[in-house]
Amino acid sequence: MTPSFTVVIPTYNGGDRLPALFDQLRAQQDVADLAWEILVVDNNSTDHTAAVVERYQADASFPVTIRYALEPRQGAAYARLKAMELVASDWVGFLDDDNWPEPNWLRVAVEFCDHSPQLGAFSGQIKLATAADLPDQFDRIALFLAIRNHGNTPHRFDPDNLDLPPAASWVIRTQAWREAVPPTPILGGRRRDFFVQGDDYEPLLYLHKQGWDIWYTPDLITHHQIPPHRFEPAALIN
C-alpha cells in the first residue's frame, strides 16, 4: 500500500543522533490506522549513518518501513530535493535528526493536512532541549537556532515579510512542492565552514508565489536537542 505520509530525515553524519529519533518515531501514538513510512536522506555522510539505518531496517519490530537514499551533493537543500523526488505520499513531514517529535506529532500533522485545499505547508512549535546554561538574552538569538513559538492560535505565516518556519520541522504537500519548486536551488544550505543559510525559506517562497498557504499550528511540537558546546562563544559567533 502506498503511504499517505512520509517522514523524511535529512542527515549529515547523523549516526549518533538517528537512534534517538528513530525511537521517538517508534513511540508515536494513535497511528495504527495511518499508512506512513520513514525516508532517511544521507547527505554524503562520512560516519556510520548508513549502518545505523540498516540496523533499524532489519529490526522486525519497527512499526513502519524505513527507506534510505544517498544524496552526494552537500547541502540540506539537495537532501530535501532528493526526498521530494522519491516520495509517493501526498504529504511529507521533514524532521532534522536532532529534532525530536512529541508522541502525538504524526497524528497532529496528519489531521492538520485537511485544514484547507490551499494548504501547501505548515509547521509548529520547536522547543529548546539542552543541558547547557543559556547565555544572557538568549531569546534574542533563539530564532537562529530554530527555536520557535508563534503563539497559541493557528494562523498563516507572512512570507512577504520572511515570516516563515525553519525546515527542522516542516510538513509539505507533495503536489505543491512539485508544482512550485524548481529542480535547482539558489541556496544549497550550510556546509562545514560555509554558514550562509536561507535554503529552507527558498522553497516556501516558491510555494507562496504559486498561491499556496503556509500555516502555523501550535499543537505540532518538536524539541530541538542542542548540545552545550553550541552555546560556547566561538560557536555562537560563527
Side-chain angles (χ1 to χ4, degrees):
M1 180 171 59
T2 300
S4 59
F5 195 99
T6 302
V7 177
V8 169
I9 307 169
T11 186
Y12 171 70
N13 285 351
D16 291 337
R17 296 183 296 275
L18 284 171
L21 179 52
F22 283 145
D23 290 342
Q24 297 293 316
L25 291 170
R26 184 200 295 269
Q28 289 294 293
Q29 298 174 355
D30 194 21
V31 295
D33 62 324
L34 302 182
W36 64 291
E37 65 173 354
I38 298 170
L39 171 61
V40 178
V41 181
D42 183 347
N43 196 197
N44 208 28
S45 297
T46 58
D47 71 345
H48 55 294
T49 290
V52 169
V53 176
E54 288 176 3
R55 186 171 77 244
Y56 277 84
Q57 287 175 319
D59 181 355
S61 70
F62 203 84
V64 295
T65 298
I66 300 174
R67 293 197 288 151
Y68 171 90
L70 176 67
E71 174 49 67
R73 294 173 296 177
Q74 203 75 60
Y78 298 109
R80 291 191 286 268
L81 283 166
K82 171 67 79 174
M84 297 307 293
E85 291 172 4
L86 295 176
V87 297
S89 55
D90 295 332
W91 290 89
V92 178
F94 283 91
L95 287 173
D96 281 0
D97 61 19
D98 58 357
N99 201 23
W100 295 1
E102 291 262 309
N104 68 346
W105 182 87
L106 185 55
R107 171 54 65 180
V108 170
V110 168
E111 291 184 352
F112 198 80
C113 289
D114 293 328
H115 180 73
S116 74
Q118 283 305 114
L119 179 65
F122 61 95
S123 187
Q125 296 188 59
I126 304 177
K127 298 184 177 183
L128 174 63
T130 185
D133 293 326
L134 298 182
D136 293 339
Q137 303 182 66
F138 171 74
D139 59 312
R140 296 180 61 187
I141 64 169
L143 292 178
F144 295 104
L145 295 172
I147 307 304
R148 301 295 171 94
N149 182 344
H150 297 280
N152 298 320
T153 305
H155 60 267
R156 286 188 184 89
F157 283 100
D158 183 9
D160 290 327
N161 290 300
L162 288 184
D163 173 31
L164 289 167
S169 176
W170 265 355
V171 182
I172 303 286
R173 186 190 293 268
T174 304
Q175 175 193 351
W177 181 289
R178 289 177 175 167
E179 288 181 0
V181 180
T184 303
I186 295 171
L187 299 172
R190 189 175 64 188
R191 306 184 304 274
R192 295 187 177 88
D193 297 324
F194 181 74
F195 288 93
V196 175
Q197 291 185 265
D199 52 287
D200 45 358
Y201 284 9
E202 184 181 348
L204 296 182
L205 289 171
Y206 289 126
L207 265 63
H208 170 62
K209 289 179 183 294
Q210 289 290 327
W212 295 98
D213 292 336
I214 302 164
W215 274 74
Y216 165 79
T217 175
D219 295 333
L220 191 72
I221 300 171
T222 59
H223 299 264
H224 189 185
Q225 313 293 313
I226 303 181
H229 72 80
R230 289 190 60 187
F231 294 96
E232 295 295 326
L236 292 176
I237 288 168
N238 276 335

